[in-house]
């Protein structure tokens, strides 16, 4: 869709934390795969089945290269949420009921999965608090490990404010304490190098739709499941070979083009940030500014309620008031609460994220739209207060 006044694509898409548009190269490959890879990958007696199985093997190699892991350790899932559940099930079946440590700002998919196990009595959870930048305290984690946590769940980067977590230090701590580690790399994939983590973490979680690939496909990378487990009851049913092979291609592109992708998204993020700061002197940038995803911009505009902004410009620029799952329910963000942000900062919070296909013109148009709308709302409030 193109806006007939500006000639820009409308709405301008700045919500890459929620999902990414599929790369045209992945769309082309998936369209071709939907036509040609219709065989059941388990039907290896005939050519169509073998073609689908071979495409899945190629994707397994791609994900292994992307994550620095052994292809035998790559298991396909229906997304990151599914991979999280399978990682926890695998850990619990080996550890028995256990004590787990996880940050309070984990993705709802992780929080819900952990809580379900806690309700079933399989897990006792130490929820680790974070600071005002949503950053983890390694001292808190060390305390939890010293007190007996044998399972640690850590997102590599936060899906709301973009804070990056010290995964290597956490891997050192877990190894020293003999604890298992689940790393949710859903948001970090394609932005940070996963190479040093794939074989060291016990479980690594990925999702296709966050790396310009298809939805409904992801991976669990782990040495704790028998190889080929996705074809042997790990994922029931017929594997989605066209989606899996397209996910593999998306990962290959993300690996080969990561540095250029990151440079592009960061330059646009910095332009967006500078533009908003110039136009809205009261704007506050949230998250850990020394360890932040390169495409991530989380702002608060005190006094301009985020829902009012999104209601006015949501058809022209895709931004969000929180994570996709939380915002659907209009609940206050658990991440911003854990950061103990003051009420006006929570009410005025906007999550933005740039991506592979954004342009400078789009960023400039988005700055104008957001700033004008916020200033209108602030102006209205000022008039109300003085009137
Ligand atoms: N983990 C993180 C950090 C996420 O950001 C998301 C999605 O937003 C998920 C897990 C769930 O991903 P999926 O949609 O593939 O289930």
């Amino acid at each position: 869709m193109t806006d007939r006044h500006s000639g820009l694509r409308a709405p301008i898409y700045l919500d890459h934390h929620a999902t990414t548009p599929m790369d045209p190269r992945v769309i082309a490959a998936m369209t071709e795969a939907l036509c040609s890879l219709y065989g059941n990958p388990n039907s290896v007696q005939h050519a169509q089945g073998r073609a689908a199985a071979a495409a899945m093997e190629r994707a397994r190699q791609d994900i292994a290269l992307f994550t620095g892991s052994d292809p035998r350790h790559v298991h396909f899932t229906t997304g990151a949420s599914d991979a999280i559940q399978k990682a926890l099930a695998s850990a619990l079946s080996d550890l028995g009921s256990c004590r787990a440590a996880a940050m309070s700002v984990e993705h709802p998919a992780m929080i819900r999965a952990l809580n379900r196990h806690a309700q079933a009595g399989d897990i006792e959870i130490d929820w680790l608090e974070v600071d005002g930048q949503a950053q983890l305290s390694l001292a808190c984690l060390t305390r939890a490990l010293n007190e007996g946590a044998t399972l640690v769940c850590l997102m590599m980067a936060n899906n709301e404010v973009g804070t990056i977590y010290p995964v290597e230090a956490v891997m050192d701590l877990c190894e020293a304490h003999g604890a298992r580690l689940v790393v949710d790399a859903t948001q970090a994939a394609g932005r940070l190098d996963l190479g040093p983590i794939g074989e060291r973490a016990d479980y690594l979680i990925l999702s296709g739709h966050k790396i310009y690939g298809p939805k409904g496909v992801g991976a669990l990378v782990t040495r704790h499941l028998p190889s080929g487990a996705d074809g042997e009851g790990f994922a029931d049913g017929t594997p989605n070979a066209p989606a899996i092979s397209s996910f593999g291609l998306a990962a290959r592109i993300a690996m080969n083009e990561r540095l250029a992708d990151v440079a592009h998204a960061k330059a646009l993020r910095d332009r967006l940030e500078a533009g908003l700061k110039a136009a809205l002197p009261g704007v506050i940038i949230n998250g850990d500014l020394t360890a932040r995803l390169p495409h991530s911009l989380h702002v608060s505009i005190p006094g301009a309620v985020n829902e009012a902004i999104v209601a006015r410009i949501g058809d022209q620029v895709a931004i969000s008031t929180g994570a996709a799952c939380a915002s659907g329910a209009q609940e206050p963000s658990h991440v911003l609460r854990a950061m103990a942000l003051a009420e006006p900062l929570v009410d005025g919070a906007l999550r933005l994220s740039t991506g592979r296909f954004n342009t400078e013109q789009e960023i400039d148009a988005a700055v104008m739209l957001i700033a004008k709308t916020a200033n209108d709302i602030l102006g209205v409030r000022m008039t109300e207060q003085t009137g």
Side-chain angles (χ1 to χ4, degrees):
M1 222 187 339
T2 306
D3 182 278
R4 75 195 154 84
H5 302 296
S6 64
L8 295 173
R9 278 173 303 157
I12 299 162
Y13 191 74
L14 293 179
D15 199 12
H16 294 80
H17 282 314
T19 194
T20 53
M22 271 173 77
D23 187 293
R25 290 166 289 183
V26 180
I27 295 177
M30 184 145 170
T31 308
E32 163 59 24
L34 285 168
C35 299
S36 60
L37 294 182
Y38 54 84
N40 186 328
N42 297 325
S43 304
V44 286
Q45 301 88 341
H46 53 66
Q48 287 98 329
R50 283 196 296 274
M56 278 184 61
E57 281 324 299
R58 170 88 201 261
R60 204 182 298 284
Q61 302 277 347
D62 287 332
I63 301 296
L65 277 174
F66 185 47
T67 55
S69 59
D70 185 320
R72 288 171 302 174
H73 298 161
V74 175
H75 305 278
F76 294 111
T77 66
T78 61
S81 305
D82 183 24
I84 287 171
Q85 287 167 31
K86 286 176 167 135
L88 295 185
S90 158
L92 288 174
S93 98
D94 291 347
L95 299 173
S97 58
C98 71
R99 194 155 167 180
M103 291 184 297
S104 52
V105 295
E106 290 297 328
H107 188 269
M110 177 67 83
I111 293 177
R112 279 197 292 264
L114 283 168
N115 280 337
R116 273 195 297 274
H117 284 293
Q119 272 155 20
D122 308 334
I123 271 187
E124 203 184 312
I125 311 165
D126 268 331
W127 291 111
L128 306 174
E129 286 181 9
V130 295
D131 66 14
Q133 282 82 48
Q135 192 50 268
L136 165 74
S137 148
L138 288 175
C140 282
L141 175 61
T142 308
R143 193 175 334 116
L145 288 164
N146 286 337
E147 287 172 2
T150 52
L151 177 64
V152 174
C153 302
L154 179 87
M155 58 186 358
M156 201 167 157
N158 188 271
N159 58 299
E160 285 196 39
V161 294
T163 295
I164 297 172
Y165 297 101
V167 179
E168 304 231 8
V170 172
M171 289 191 296
D172 290 343
L173 279 172
C174 288
E175 282 166 10
H177 286 79
R180 279 207 186 176
L181 175 62
V182 181
V183 175
D184 178 357
T186 305
Q187 292 289 342
R191 285 95 200 180
L192 306 179
D193 183 11
L194 305 182
I197 297 159
E199 279 299 304
R200 268 187 84 194
D202 292 276
Y203 304 94
L204 188 74
I205 312 285
L206 296 176
S207 178
H209 73 98
K210 308 286 185 177
I211 56 165
Y212 305 92
K215 294 175 178 54
V217 61
L220 172 60
V221 181
T222 180
R223 57 186 176 279
H224 298 295
L225 284 164
S227 101
D230 38 83
E232 293 160 13
F234 178 70
D236 293 329
T238 306
N240 186 346
I244 289 171
S245 70
S246 311
F247 172 39
L249 174 61
R252 207 181 318 145
I253 295 171
M255 185 178 67
N256 293 338
E257 300 180 7
R258 185 174 65 84
L259 295 181
D261 249 359
V262 162
H264 174 72
K266 182 176 182 311
L268 295 182
R269 188 277 308 273
D270 291 349
R271 189 180 182 98
L272 185 59
E273 183 172 318
L276 290 176
K277 274 183 176 163
L280 292 162
V283 76
I284 287 166
I285 314 298
N286 298 312
D288 187 341
L289 303 193
T290 61
R292 182 170 51 144
L293 284 173
H295 64 309
S296 191
L297 177 62
H298 194 282
V299 300
S300 288
I301 311 170
V305 173
N306 52 15
E307 279 167 19
I309 296 182
V310 171
R312 289 192 197 189
I313 59 170
D315 289 343
Q316 295 158 80
V317 54
I319 54 177
S320 102
T321 58
C325 332
S327 62
Q330 298 296 317
E331 282 168 12
S333 149
H334 69 292
V335 176
L336 304 187
R337 294 269 173 247
M339 291 162 69
L341 290 195
E343 213 59 40
L345 300 194
V346 174
D347 290 344
L350 290 174
R351 180 182 74 158
L352 306 106
S353 40
T354 57
R356 192 177 284 169
F357 305 112
N358 286 132
T359 62
E360 288 186 349
Q361 290 88 331
E362 286 182 324
I363 298 302
D364 296 344
V367 168
M368 289 249 304
L369 274 167
I370 298 167
K372 180 175 180 324
T373 311
N375 277 325
D376 281 355
I377 294 169
L378 291 169
V380 169
R381 278 187 55 120
M382 294 280 289
T383 318
E384 277 170 1
Q385 277 162 9
T386 50

Coordinates of all heavy atoms in Angstrom, one line a residue, residues 17-18 78-82 84 107 109-110 155 157-159 184-187 205-210 217 324-325, ligand 1:
H17 N 10.0 -5.5 16.4 CA 10.1 -6.4 17.6 C 8.9 -7.4 17.6 O 9.0 -8.5 18.1 CB 10.1 -5.6 18.9 CG 11.4 -5.0 19.2 ND1 12.6 -5.8 19.2 CD2 11.8 -3.8 19.7 CE1 13.6 -5.0 19.5 NE2 13.1 -3.8 19.8
A18 N 7.7 -6.9 17.1 CA 6.5 -7.7 17.0 C 6.7 -8.8 16.0 O 6.4 -10.0 16.2 CB 5.3 -6.9 16.8
T78 N 7.2 -25.0 16.0 CA 6.3 -24.1 15.4 C 6.5 -22.6 15.8 O 5.7 -21.8 15.5 CB 4.8 -24.5 15.7 OG1 4.6 -24.4 17.1 CG2 4.5 -25.9 15.2
G79 N 7.6 -22.3 16.4 CA 7.9 -21.0 16.8 C 8.7 -20.9 18.1 O 9.0 -22.0 18.6
A80 N 9.0 -19.7 18.6 CA 9.8 -19.6 19.8 C 9.0 -20.1 21.0 O 9.5 -20.7 21.9 CB 10.2 -18.2 20.0
S81 N 7.6 -19.8 21.0 CA 6.8 -20.2 22.2 C 6.9 -21.7 22.4 O 7.0 -22.3 23.5 CB 5.4 -19.7 22.1 OG 5.3 -18.4 21.9
D82 N 6.7 -22.4 21.2 CA 6.8 -23.9 21.2 C 8.2 -24.4 21.7 O 8.3 -25.3 22.5 CB 6.4 -24.3 19.8 CG 6.4 -25.8 19.6 OD1 6.1 -26.5 20.6 OD2 6.6 -26.3 18.4
I84 N 10.3 -22.9 23.6 CA 10.4 -22.6 25.0 C 9.8 -23.8 25.8 O 10.4 -24.3 26.7 CB 9.8 -21.3 25.4 CG1 10.6 -20.1 24.9 CG2 9.5 -21.2 26.9 CD1 10.0 -18.7 25.1
H107 N 10.0 -12.8 28.2 CA 8.8 -12.7 27.3 C 7.6 -13.5 28.0 O 7.8 -14.5 28.6 CB 9.1 -13.4 26.0 CG 8.1 -13.1 24.9 ND1 7.0 -14.0 24.7 CD2 7.8 -12.1 24.1 CE1 6.2 -13.6 23.8 NE2 6.7 -12.4 23.4
A109 N 5.7 -15.6 26.8 CA 5.7 -17.0 26.5 C 6.5 -17.8 27.5 O 6.2 -18.9 27.9 CB 6.2 -17.2 25.1
M110 N 7.6 -17.2 27.9 CA 8.5 -17.9 28.9 C 7.8 -17.8 30.3 O 7.8 -18.8 31.1 CB 9.9 -17.2 29.0 CG 10.8 -17.7 30.0 SD 11.3 -19.4 29.6 CE 12.7 -19.1 28.4
M155 N 16.5 -14.4 28.4 CA 16.4 -13.8 27.1 C 17.7 -13.2 26.7 O 18.4 -12.6 27.6 CB 15.2 -12.9 26.9 CG 15.2 -11.7 27.8 SD 13.8 -10.6 27.9 CE 12.6 -11.2 26.7
A157 N 18.0 -10.7 24.5 CA 17.7 -9.3 24.4 C 16.2 -9.1 24.7 O 15.5 -10.0 24.3 CB 18.1 -8.7 23.1
N158 N 15.9 -8.0 25.2 CA 14.5 -7.8 25.6 C 13.7 -7.3 24.4 O 14.1 -6.4 23.7 CB 14.5 -6.7 26.8 CG 13.1 -6.6 27.4 OD1 12.3 -5.8 26.9 ND2 12.8 -7.4 28.3
N159 N 12.4 -7.8 24.4 CA 11.6 -7.5 23.2 C 10.8 -6.2 23.4 O 10.1 -5.8 22.4 CB 10.6 -8.7 23.0 CG 9.7 -8.9 24.2 OD1 10.2 -9.2 25.3 ND2 8.4 -8.7 24.1
D184 N 16.8 -17.5 25.3 CA 15.8 -17.1 24.3 C 16.4 -16.1 23.4 O 16.5 -14.9 23.8 CB 14.6 -16.6 25.1 CG 13.5 -16.2 24.1 OD1 13.7 -16.2 22.9 OD2 12.4 -15.8 24.6
A185 N 16.8 -16.5 22.2 CA 17.5 -15.6 21.3 C 16.6 -15.0 20.3 O 17.0 -14.5 19.2 CB 18.7 -16.3 20.6
T186 N 15.3 -15.1 20.5 CA 14.3 -14.7 19.5 C 14.5 -13.3 19.0 O 14.4 -13.0 17.8 CB 12.9 -14.8 20.1 OG1 12.7 -16.1 20.6 CG2 11.8 -14.5 19.1
Q187 N 14.8 -12.3 19.9 CA 15.0 -10.9 19.4 C 16.4 -10.6 19.0 O 16.6 -9.7 18.2 CB 14.5 -9.9 20.5 CG 13.1 -9.9 20.8 CD 12.2 -9.3 19.7 OE1 12.7 -8.6 18.9 NE2 10.9 -9.6 19.8
I205 N 16.8 -20.7 21.7 CA 15.4 -20.6 21.1 C 15.4 -19.6 19.9 O 16.0 -18.5 20.1 CB 14.5 -20.0 22.2 CG1 14.6 -20.8 23.5 CG2 13.0 -19.9 21.6 CD1 14.0 -22.1 23.6
L206 N 14.8 -19.9 18.8 CA 14.7 -19.0 17.7 C 13.3 -19.0 17.1 O 12.6 -20.0 17.2 CB 15.6 -19.5 16.5 CG 17.1 -19.6 16.7 CD1 17.8 -20.2 15.5 CD2 17.7 -18.2 17.0
S207 N 13.0 -17.9 16.4 CA 11.7 -17.9 15.7 C 11.9 -17.3 14.3 O 12.6 -16.3 14.1 CB 10.8 -16.9 16.5 OG 9.6 -16.8 15.8
G208 N 11.3 -17.9 13.3 CA 11.4 -17.5 11.9 C 11.0 -16.1 11.6 O 11.6 -15.3 10.9
H209 N 9.8 -15.7 12.2 CA 9.2 -14.4 11.8 C 9.9 -13.2 12.4 O 9.5 -12.1 12.1 CB 7.7 -14.4 12.1 CG 7.3 -14.3 13.5 ND1 6.9 -13.1 14.1 CD2 7.2 -15.2 14.5 CE1 6.6 -13.3 15.3 NE2 6.7 -14.5 15.6
K210 N 11.0 -13.4 13.2 CA 11.7 -12.2 13.7 C 12.9 -12.0 12.9 O 13.7 -11.0 13.1 CB 12.1 -12.4 15.2 CG 11.0 -12.8 16.1 CD 10.1 -11.7 16.5 CE 9.1 -12.2 17.5 NZ 8.2 -11.2 18.0
V217 N 7.1 -21.0 12.4 CA 8.3 -22.0 12.4 C 9.4 -21.4 13.3 O 9.6 -20.2 13.4 CB 8.7 -22.2 10.9 CG1 9.2 -20.9 10.3 CG2 9.8 -23.3 10.9
A324 N 3.6 -7.1 21.5 CA 2.4 -7.5 20.7 C 1.4 -8.2 21.6 O 0.2 -7.9 21.6 CB 2.8 -8.3 19.5
C325 N 1.8 -9.2 22.4 CA 0.9 -10.0 23.1 C 0.3 -9.2 24.2 O -0.9 -9.2 24.5 CB 1.6 -11.2 23.8 SG 3.0 -11.7 22.9
Ligands
LIG1 N1 10.5 -14.8 23.0 C1 10.7 -13.5 22.7 C2 11.9 -12.8 23.3 C3 9.8 -12.9 21.8 O1 10.0 -11.6 21.5 C4 8.8 -13.6 21.2 C5 7.8 -13.0 20.3 O2 7.5 -11.8 20.4 C6 8.6 -15.0 21.6 C7 9.5 -15.5 22.5 C8 7.5 -15.8 21.0 O3 7.8 -16.0 19.6 P1 6.8 -16.8 18.7 O4 5.9 -15.8 18.1 O5 7.7 -17.4 17.6 O6 6.1 -17.9 19.4

